[in-house]
């Protein structure tokens, strides 16, 4: 019997998620001049994208890019998780 990971859940401190999102938010694609986040946030596009929506799209295996389903949980800054 072979085992494989098909899905996982990960916890991000909200400040880290917001900082990562902010670092990508204003990046433009040279070929189109549009925002890269437009293609990285699914149906929300750049205008309505948030850190949570961005991560949700990145972890959605139906987007054709994610190799497996990833459930990103944003937790309050300074939260101590078990383990």
């Amino acid at each position: 019997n072979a085992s494989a990971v098909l899905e996982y859940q990960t916890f991000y401190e909200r400040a880290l998620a917001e900082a990562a999102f902010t670092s990508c938010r204003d990046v433009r694609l040279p070929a189109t001049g549009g925002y890269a986040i437009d293609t990285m946030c699914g149906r929300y596009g750049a205008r309505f994208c948030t850190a949570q929506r961005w991560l949700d799209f990145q972890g959605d295996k139906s987007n054709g890019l994610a190799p497996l389903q990833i459930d990103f949980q944003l937790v309050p800054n300074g939260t101590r998780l078990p383990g």
Side-chain angles (χ1 to χ4, degrees), residues 4-83:
V5 174
L6 303 175
E7 179 174 334
Y8 72 92
Q9 187 175 51
T10 186
F11 296 87
Y12 268 63
E13 192 172 76
R14 183 165 293 282
L16 176 62
E18 293 291 343
F21 173 70
T22 299
S23 74
C24 296
R25 183 177 50 207
D26 294 326
V27 173
R28 290 189 175 263
L29 297 172
T32 65
Y35 290 103
I37 205 82
D38 236 359
T39 62
M40 297 168 58
C41 206
R43 62 189 169 109
Y44 295 104
R47 184 171 179 194
F48 298 107
C49 197
T50 64
Q52 183 70 65
R53 289 174 175 169
W54 175 61
L55 289 170
D56 288 345
F57 181 75
Q58 300 308 306
D60 186 351
K61 68 180 181 182
S62 71
N63 71 15
L65 303 171
L68 51 96
Q69 190 69 30
I70 306 167
D71 178 20
F72 290 96
Q73 296 291 315
L74 300 187
V75 297
N77 302 335
T79 300
R80 291 186 56 94
L81 298 172

